Structure formats: structure tokens, C-alpha cells
Amino acid sequence: MIEYTGENLIAGQIGNLFIITSFVASILAVAFYFRASDISSELTSDKKLGRLFSRIHSFSLLGLIGILFYLIYHHAFEYYYIWRHSSSDMPMNYIISSFWEGQEGSTMLWAFWNVVLGNILIYTTKKWEGSVLMIFASVQVFLSAMLLGIFPFDIQIGSNPFVLLREHPDMINLPFTSNPNYLSFVEGNGLNPLLQNYWMTIHPPTVFFGFASTLIPFAYALAGLWKRKYQEWIKPALPWTFFGIAILGLGILMGGAWAYEALSFGGFWAWDPVENSSLVPWLVLVGAGHLMLINRNKMKSIFSAFALTLFSFLLVVYSTYLTKSGILGETSVHSFADGLPGQLIIFLLFYLFIALFFLFKNGGQFLKKTEEDAFWSREFWMFLGALVLVISAFQITLSTSIPVINALFGTDMAPPSKPIEHYNSWQIPLTILVTLFVAISQFLKYKKTEVLPFFKMIAPSFIISLALAILLSIKLEIREFFLTLLLFSSLFAVLANSDYIIRILKGKIKKAGSALAHVGFGLVILGSLLSAGNKKIISKNRTQVNINFEDNKEANNENVMLLKNDTVLMEPYYVTYTNRRIEGRNVHFDMDYLKVNSEGKYIKEFSLSPFVQLNKQMGNVPEPDTRHFIDKDIFTHITYADLENLDSASQNSYRDADSLSLGIGDSLFSSNSIIKVERFERMINKDSLNLLENDIALGVKITAKTLDGKSYSATPIMVIRGNRIFSINSNIDPLGLDFGFSGINPETEKLTILLAEKNKNSGDFVIMQAIIFPYINVLWIGIIVMVLGSLLAVVNRISLKSN
């Protein structure tokens, strides 16, 4: 029995106890809340016990999270999860990120937000507590089970974050496991370099907070169907629905900001499958929220409201499956294949079955045709908007799910080869419709709207938007019809809702939550169009060097090669690559952006330092640097750099020598000088060179002249000792040149000269790309306004609920 030194086993044992306790407590909470599931405000003994076990579950989960954070902070590499996702040289913010990089940590993060929201609901759901909290607790059962890490009948249930490194299946029988002192030399694998960005410390928690918030309207809707309270559930669910819209929307757009800041595809949205799978629940939740508004007083489309509300959460579970199952393969930079796909499928199917069962059993009666909404009513256009959102979500889901379809049906469909073009071809027309609905909906009245006054109300913003769209499309040279139409509709959405706030609401911001959110949404779409749709690549290759990347046929038109200290035109700037410097794992490349003044001199405007993060285990990752202006961003990233011999010692070491055949008087070029073989040197001081008396020594004088006129000389010596010939080299250290003399060809009278140069002599160059994103701040402002508007709408709903 090996006694291992330095292992903190007690922390893992406590963590395992917390896992078991949280799992058992969540099951008991489900049982007692089920017994107390009647729609009643009475505090029964079953409800008290449900609360008790919910709190025990909450305490256990918080303890579990605390233990894992403690182990990560103290670099407890004896645990596989800690070893795999962290390292001892990571800064604190990335240590936090490493917590949720893996399946176990992200599951705990999701469960944590459910605990936070669930404990709030205990005090706010009132008569709905039993049924809603039972559904909440049941979800926690599934999430807790994903941390168990047990194998009944050789079937894996969960993945335990406290499995020891030496006991993990991938590590058993490796040599280090028999070393009792293995922790003295084991170092962590580290965090995925793509995630080593400050956005990744706030983006995942926000997204999972949004995911957790979709559970509240889902629970209310399912409870409403279960208890046949077909309309009563809407009032308490509405504020939480728009809260979820705000938080999940913010999390998704934070992901876009991360992609813009950290990835090198040049943009904030690339229709990545994991991006898509988080966007779809948000689209459906937005549709659900607006259908709730329609049906809170009269159940005209209540079946659709139920369906969209239920599917907003189901699509969150499906998104989790896509991300964690590994089924997306290499189609996404976000996916990882350690997420218990079988368990996630059971999780999804369980709630899908229950949701469909109650939807059609108790809600099927609402499929019958009811009274039609008037064409010029707010209900009609809001329903139409929700329908367009569902179509949008369906198209995204269908294209994203191609790997799933292939796995289910044995097909061999390929994902879109050009995803941006593919998705845009569908989503741009749908977005035009949505932004038009957003523009006019505030001016429409419920039940019926007088047509002539309505058109008079929207006419000013319509005309101004049309005029601006025409002017901007000419100025920005937007030629595509749908892009021009999108420009108009997004402007119309912004101006119409701004007009509604000013003229109809008289500037009363407290009542303007929905209109403000619509303004923000219009700005997001407008900013996306103006920046991504009108981006300009300024790094045009104007040299004879052919830049060719296998995965990019347009590389020659989108990249430029820069030699160190060389200045290249990138209109409207000149760019100079000034320096390469190493900071920790990052190799920075300093670029000066210059302009020519009236006197013809270069004036530095600003500098950017894109860098490459070195990672031997996971591959090097380039990260861009961006200069922000009011009206544009200039985005710069490295597409190629020679990352060998980066340290000082390697830079000052000599490469292998080249063997040259030269005669007296011959010249050649090195990387930094003109070299000339001048003459033989026959007077050799053997004593100073520690040569033997019988050694034959012959030197050759070589000069090296730089382009600025400086001259240097070296005298390598050929020595013949018996039957052996060797060289005593001579170097010119300022030029990084080393010379040897190893022989003479008697027939040609040519000398064999050996020339070696230092690694730092090789031409330091990079290939980079620079892009101008015009008016991208419109997008960022839109995000802020949309989130604030949605949260303001939540506050208004809560105040209406309490009145």
C-alpha cells in the first residue's frame, strides 16, 4: 500500500458528502413539495419540509462549490478536475474561470443560480410555491445526479469533480501513480487558452444565470397546465420572463463581445453552433413573453403561450446537450466532449415528455379555433412577431442540429461550409420583419386600432427613417436590397420607439421599459449592420510576396507581411512593426499606426499590440488588439509569426553553419552585411592558440561591411594536425556572424568557408490583418439600452403585480 504525500483527501471527502446530501435533499424536496402542490397559500407541514430540504440542498451545493474553489485556489493537482482545468501560474481571474470550464463546474454554476432563484421563489410564489418549487427541485435532482460519479451495473451516473488524478481511468497504471511523492513534480494542464480572457470571467455566469431564469416561467406554465390554472400563471410568470430575456440576452451578447475581443475571425458573431444554441432559447423566450402579454386578460393564443414558454427551457437543456456531448465535433470552438450525453438526453426527454403530455392533455382544448384578432390590433402583430421569432429559432436549430440529425438517422449531411452566408440568407429577411413589428407595435392598441390616426402617428419616424436609410446606403455603398431594407427597418424601430417615448409617454422613462428595450434592439441590429456589414479590411497585400493559407483563399487580399521596422501603407494609415516582446506566455507584436503630416513626416497616431498566447499542450492562440474610436474600431491580429527561438539564449545562439566555396576576392551577402574574402594570413601565433609545434595553420581574413558603412573583420584558421583538419572559428559578435575555414580545393583553388548566423539575424516578420469596424459603438450602446429597458419593464411588471 503506497502512502502518498501532500494529498488533501479530507477536502474531497467533504465534497463527496456535499454531493450526496444535495442529491438526496433535492429528491426529498420534490417529494414533500409534491404533497403540498395544491394552489394554496397555506403553510402546511409538507410545505415546511419541502422548504427545509430545499435549504439543505442549497447549503450542500454552496458547500460543494466552496470546496472546489478552495482546491482550485490551492492548486490541489491530486484531483483530476483541478489538474485538467487549472495550473499554478494562472492569475486569479483565470482560476475563477477554470471552475466552470469543465462539465462538473458548469453544472454546479447552473445549479447555483437555480438555488439563488429557488430561494427567492420560496418567499415570492405564495400559493404557487408547492407546484413551482417541486418543478425547481426536480431539475436540481438531475443536475445533482450529474455530479455523482457512480457506476451502478457499469452504467455511469454523473462525473465527480473529486476523483483523484491517480485514480482517474486515463491515469491508472501510469508510472507517476507509483511514486508516493508525485505531487512534487505534477503541474496542472491549464485553462483552454481561448478562455483566458476577462470576458470569460463574467460571460458564463451571466449565460447560466439566464439559463436558470428560463426555469421560472417554465415552472409556472407547467404548474398552470398541471393544476388547470390556464391564465392565472401568467401574472406571476411575466416579470420573471422579461427578467430572463434581459439576463440571457446580456449573457449572449457578452459572448459576442468575448468573440470580438479574443477570437481572430474579425467580428462579434460568427453563427457558431454553440452561439446559436444559446440564442434560440432567447428568441423563443422573447416570443413567449409577448404572447403572455396578449393572453394575460383574454386567452386567444394561450396554447402558443404555453408551448413557447415550455420550449424556452427545453431548448436550454438541448443547448447544454449540444455544448457538452461533443456531438458538434470541430464545428464549434466552444464545445467539449466530457458531458455525459446519455444523461443529458434523459434529462431532456424527461421534461419534453412531461411538457408535451400536459400541453396536449390539458392544453389541447385551446387548439380549437377561437375569435380572430383584428388585423389592426396589437395582439395580431405581437402574435405575428412571435411567429417570426419561432421560424427564426427553427431555422437556426435545424441548421445547427445537422450533426444530431446525422447521428440519429445515419445521414451524412455536411454543416454549412459558409455559415455566415447561410444563416444571414435566412435571418436577414426575418430580422427585417421583426424590426418592422417592433417599430409599429407600440402605436397599436389592444383589440382594435383606428387606421388613419395610427398612420399619422408613425408617419414622421417612417419618413425620417426612409430618408436616413437612403442617405446612409449611398454613403456606405450598400448595394444589396435586403441590407438596405434592414437598414431602414432598424432605423424605423429606433426612431419610432424613441418618438413613442417622447410624444406618447411624454418622456416618462419609468413607463418606457418596453419601448426602451425596442430602441435597444433596433440599435443592436443597426450596429451589427453598420459594422459587420460594412467592415473594411485595410491590410491589403501590395508586395510581390504571395500570402497563401490553405483554409483561406482570400488571404492574399486580406493580409499583409511586415518586416521589423518596415512601414507599409494600410489606408488611411501607415503601419510599422516596431518590436516583438515576451510577457509570460504571451508574445506581443507592437504596431505603430502612423499618418503623414503636411510636412511629409510620419506622425504616430496610436499603437496596437496583438499577441499570440503560447500553449504547448493546447496549441498557440492569437488574440487581437483593438483601438476604439467614437465612430469606429480598428481591429488588428496576427495571422502568422515565427514563434521559434523566442527566448534570449536561443536568439543569441548560432544556427547550423552553411558551407560556402569561395575564392580570394569573392563576396557574398549575409542578412546584415556584405562579406568579402580578402587574403590569406600566414603569420599565425601558434602559442596564443595553444597549437602544437608541428601543426600547420593557415588563416584567411574576411571583412564584413554593413549598409551604413561600418566595417568588421574576422580571421578563421584552418589547422592540419597529422591526418586531421579542423577549424578555429572567428566571429563578429556585433553582426552575429561566425566564420570557419575547413579546407582548400587544389583543383579550383576555392576555400571552404563555414558561415553561421545568430537566430536573431533572421528577418523578423509577421503576417497580420487589420479591419475597420465602422459605428460598432452603436451595437454596444444598443446592448446597454436593450438590457436596461428589459429590466425597467420587469420593475414595472412587479409594481403592477403588487398593486
Side-chain angles (χ1 to χ4, degrees):
M1 185 71 178
I2 301 174
E3 292 187 11
Y4 295 94
T5 58
E7 291 184 333
N8 185 352
L9 301 182
I10 294 176
Q13 292 164 357
I14 296 172
N16 282 317
L17 179 62
F18 279 137
I19 290 175
I20 295 169
T21 305
S22 68
F23 177 66
V24 174
S26 61
I27 293 174
L28 293 172
V30 171
F32 285 107
Y33 270 129
F34 178 77
R35 289 163 60 92
S37 60
D38 291 337
I39 307 298
S40 169
S41 298
E42 182 183 354
L43 186 59
T44 63
S45 60
D46 286 326
K47 194 174 288 185
K48 289 180 180 178
L49 287 169
R51 289 183 177 184
L52 172 65
F53 286 110
S54 288
R55 285 166 180 154
I56 292 173
H57 167 77
S58 301
F59 173 80
S60 300
L61 185 70
L62 292 176
L64 171 61
I65 291 170
I67 291 289
L68 191 59
F69 263 125
Y70 170 82
L71 292 174
I72 293 174
Y73 181 76
H74 287 89
H75 309 302
F77 299 135
E78 61 266 37
Y79 293 96
Y80 179 80
Y81 189 87
I82 316 300
W83 169 84
R84 183 174 181 185
H85 299 291
S86 69
S87 61
S88 57
D89 60 348
M90 285 168 50
M92 186 61 197
N93 55 330
Y94 296 155
I95 287 176
I96 294 172
S97 298
S98 69
F99 175 88
W100 48 70
E101 185 193 18
Q103 179 267 320
E104 298 90 335
S106 60
T107 299
M108 281 189 268
L109 181 61
W110 188 0
F112 166 78
W113 287 122
N114 282 350
V115 159
V116 171
L117 295 174
N119 279 279
I120 294 172
L121 290 175
I122 287 176
Y123 296 101
T124 59
T125 47
K126 298 178 181 178
K127 66 180 182 180
W128 291 91
E129 181 183 345
S131 52
V132 168
L133 268 295
M134 189 213 77
I135 296 167
F136 247 78
S138 70
V139 171
Q140 293 299 86
V141 171
F142 278 97
L143 294 179
S144 298
M146 292 181 68
L147 301 172
L148 288 174
I150 58 177
F151 293 82
F153 308 107
D154 291 328
I155 298 173
Q156 182 179 2
I157 299 178
S159 179
N160 191 309
F162 301 110
V163 173
L164 291 172
L165 177 66
R166 57 183 168 81
E167 294 180 352
H168 191 275
D170 293 344
M171 302 293 172
I172 290 176
N173 297 324
L174 290 181
F176 81 89
T177 61
S178 60
N179 187 334
N181 197 33
Y182 74 94
L183 286 177
S184 64
F185 57 83
V186 165
E187 175 56 60
N189 196 47
L191 183 67
N192 186 325
L194 286 173
L195 305 182
Q196 295 187 34
N197 180 274
Y198 61 89
W199 280 110
M200 294 312 292
T201 61
I202 55 176
H203 162 57
T206 308
V207 167
F208 277 101
F209 193 17
F211 281 177
S213 66
T214 65
L215 179 55
I216 300 179
F218 172 84
Y220 272 112
L222 191 55
L225 282 169
W226 175 23
K227 299 301 179 180
R228 292 183 167 85
K229 302 293 183 181
Y230 299 117
Q231 198 171 22
E232 294 91 329
W233 67 278
I234 293 178
K235 187 175 181 181
L238 254 177
W240 286 110
T241 302
F242 283 96
F243 176 79
I245 290 169
I247 300 301
L248 183 54
L250 177 62
I252 293 167
L253 292 169
M254 279 182 175
W258 163 69
Y260 182 69
E261 290 281 347
L263 302 183
S264 299
F265 58 76
F268 47 84
W269 196 263
W271 294 108
D272 180 274
V274 174
E275 291 176 346
N276 297 348
S277 64
S278 61
L279 174 64
V280 167
W282 183 81
L283 292 172
V284 175
L285 189 65
V286 171
H290 287 80
L291 290 184
M292 287 185 202
L293 291 173
I294 296 173
N295 290 277
R296 59 188 161 163
N297 296 319
K298 193 172 182 180
M299 297 191 294
K300 289 189 175 183
S301 53
I302 191 68
F303 183 88
S304 299
F306 274 123
L308 266 62
T309 306
L310 294 172
F311 271 91
S312 62
F313 172 71
L314 294 172
L315 286 164
V316 163
V317 182
Y318 181 63
S319 169
T320 307
Y321 167 74
L322 288 177
T323 305
K324 297 184 178 183
S325 66
I327 197 165
L328 293 175
E330 297 180 356
T331 63
S332 172
V333 299
H334 302 71
S335 65
F336 48 92
D338 61 349
L340 306 170
Q343 208 163 331
L344 287 167
I345 290 172
I346 293 171
F347 185 10
L348 175 62
L349 292 180
F350 177 82
Y351 287 101
L352 179 63
F353 173 79
I354 290 177
L356 292 178
F357 175 79
F358 283 108
L359 181 63
F360 287 98
K361 179 179 179 293
N362 293 350
Q365 58 184 304
F366 301 108
L367 282 170
K368 298 176 183 177
K369 190 174 182 180
T370 58
E371 179 186 351
E372 297 287 347
D373 293 318
F375 183 78
W376 292 109
S377 67
R378 185 178 289 191
E379 296 96 320
F380 177 82
W381 291 96
M382 286 174 68
F383 181 84
L384 207 58
L387 179 62
V388 173
L389 289 174
V390 170
I391 295 170
S392 171
F394 177 77
Q395 186 275 322
I396 296 171
T397 302
L398 187 64
S399 295
T400 303
S401 300
I402 287 175
V404 179
I405 296 169
N406 288 338
L408 283 175
F409 301 105
T411 53
D412 192 26
M413 293 188 293
S417 58
K418 296 182 177 180
I420 294 177
E421 291 82 352
H422 169 77
Y423 286 101
N424 284 353
S425 66
W426 286 90
Q427 295 302 316
I428 288 176
L430 294 171
T431 306
I432 292 169
L433 292 175
V434 171
T435 45
L436 288 174
F437 297 155
V438 163
I440 66 173
S441 60
Q442 294 289 346
F443 295 94
L444 293 166
K445 296 179 179 179
Y446 286 105
K447 295 184 179 179
K448 189 177 180 181
T449 305
E450 295 296 327
V451 177
L452 190 58
F454 164 72
F455 278 111
K456 286 183 179 179
M457 290 297 293
I458 66 170
S461 53
F462 180 91
I463 294 170
I464 295 172
S465 300
L466 185 61
L468 283 175
I470 293 171
L471 289 174
L472 284 173
S473 61
I474 293 172
K475 181 179 184 296
L476 300 176
E477 299 181 355
I478 299 175
R479 299 283 184 259
E480 294 184 33
F481 172 74
F482 280 113
L483 292 182
T484 305
L485 202 56
L486 182 61
L487 178 62
F488 160 72
S489 64
S490 57
L491 284 167
F492 189 24
V494 172
L495 295 178
N497 282 278
S498 301
D499 182 35
Y500 181 82
I501 294 171
I502 295 168
R503 285 201 295 154
I504 307 301
L505 298 179
K506 308 299 183 184
K508 297 176 181 177
I509 295 297
K510 288 184 178 180
K511 295 182 179 180
S514 59
L516 203 60
H518 289 171
V519 170
F521 178 76
L523 288 172
V524 168
I525 302 302
L526 180 62
S528 301
L529 173 61
L530 293 177
S531 57
N534 199 49
K535 69 180 182 182
K536 181 181 179 183
I537 298 174
I538 61 174
S539 50
K540 302 289 186 181
N541 183 20
R542 293 178 171 85
T543 70
Q544 298 298 316
V545 178
N546 184 37
I547 299 173
N548 184 26
F549 298 137
E550 290 183 3
D551 57 347
N552 184 4
K553 295 180 180 178
E554 296 297 319
N556 209 39
N557 297 320
E558 299 175 351
N559 297 267
V560 64
M561 187 177 80
L562 284 170
L563 294 171
K564 190 173 180 179
N565 298 320
D566 194 14
T567 300
V568 173
L569 174 64
M570 295 188 205
E571 293 181 313
Y573 300 98
Y574 290 88
V575 179
T576 302
Y577 167 35
T578 60
N579 189 32
R580 176 173 65 180
R581 52 192 169 83
I582 302 172
E583 294 182 3
R585 294 183 176 183
N586 298 330
V587 183
H588 292 261
F589 300 88
D590 297 332
M591 307 288 173
D592 286 348
Y593 280 72
L594 318 168
K595 282 193 174 180
V596 178
N597 65 10
S598 58
E599 299 175 357
K601 295 181 179 179
Y602 289 119
I603 304 297
K604 186 169 80 171
E605 296 284 314
F606 58 90
S607 296
L608 290 174
S609 298
F611 64 92
V612 177
Q613 184 184 150
L614 303 178
N615 192 304
K616 293 181 180 179
Q617 293 170 309
M618 302 182 193
N620 300 331
V621 175
E623 294 207 22
D625 194 15
T626 304
R627 175 74 174 190
H628 304 287
F629 296 90
I630 293 176
D631 61 337
K632 65 178 178 291
D633 277 3
I634 297 179
F635 174 100
T636 301
H637 75 98
I638 301 298
T639 52
Y640 175 81
D642 183 2
L643 300 174
E644 299 295 328
N645 305 310
L646 291 173
D647 59 279
S648 177
S650 297
Q651 284 285 291
N652 284 300
S653 63
Y654 285 96
R655 299 195 299 266
D656 291 339
D658 292 326
S659 180
L660 308 172
S661 180
L662 300 171
I664 299 297
D666 286 351
S667 299
L668 76 153
F669 289 94
S670 71
S671 63
N672 53 18
S673 61
I674 301 172
I675 296 169
K676 184 177 181 180
V677 180
E678 297 284 355
R679 61 180 182 271
F680 287 116
E681 291 286 353
R682 304 180 187 276
M683 301 299 294
I684 306 297
N685 188 336
K686 293 183 181 181
D687 292 337
S688 65
L689 298 174
N690 296 318
L691 295 177
L692 302 179
E693 183 179 351
N694 294 326
D695 288 344
I696 299 173
L698 178 66
V700 61
K701 184 175 181 180
I702 298 174
T703 58
K705 184 177 289 188
T706 62
L707 296 179
D708 59 1
K710 292 182 180 179
S711 292
Y712 302 86
S713 65
T715 306
I717 298 170
M718 178 184 68
V719 179
I720 303 174
R721 178 177 294 170
N723 295 325
R724 187 165 66 93
I725 299 176
F726 61 91
S727 171
I728 298 176
N729 287 15
S730 177
N731 65 61
I732 303 174
D733 193 65
L735 300 184
L737 301 175
D738 184 75
F739 297 94
F741 177 23
S742 63
I744 303 175
N745 188 326
E747 294 181 1
T748 62
E749 297 186 353
K750 295 287 186 180
L751 316 182
T752 301
I753 303 296
L754 304 176
L755 171 61
E757 294 196 51
K758 287 184 177 180
N759 284 315
K760 66 181 182 181
N761 284 20
S762 60
D764 187 358
F765 74 95
V766 295
I767 297 175
M768 62 164 277
Q769 186 178 77
I771 305 172
I772 294 179
F773 287 96
Y775 311 111
I776 195 168
N777 285 331
V778 175
L779 169 68
W780 308 131
I781 293 169
I783 292 171
I784 296 170
V785 172
M786 184 174 71
V787 172
L788 290 177
S790 299
L791 292 175
L792 187 58
V794 172
V795 173
N796 290 337
R797 291 292 157 201
I798 293 173
S799 62
L800 289 172
K801 180 183 172 184
S802 60
N803 292 335

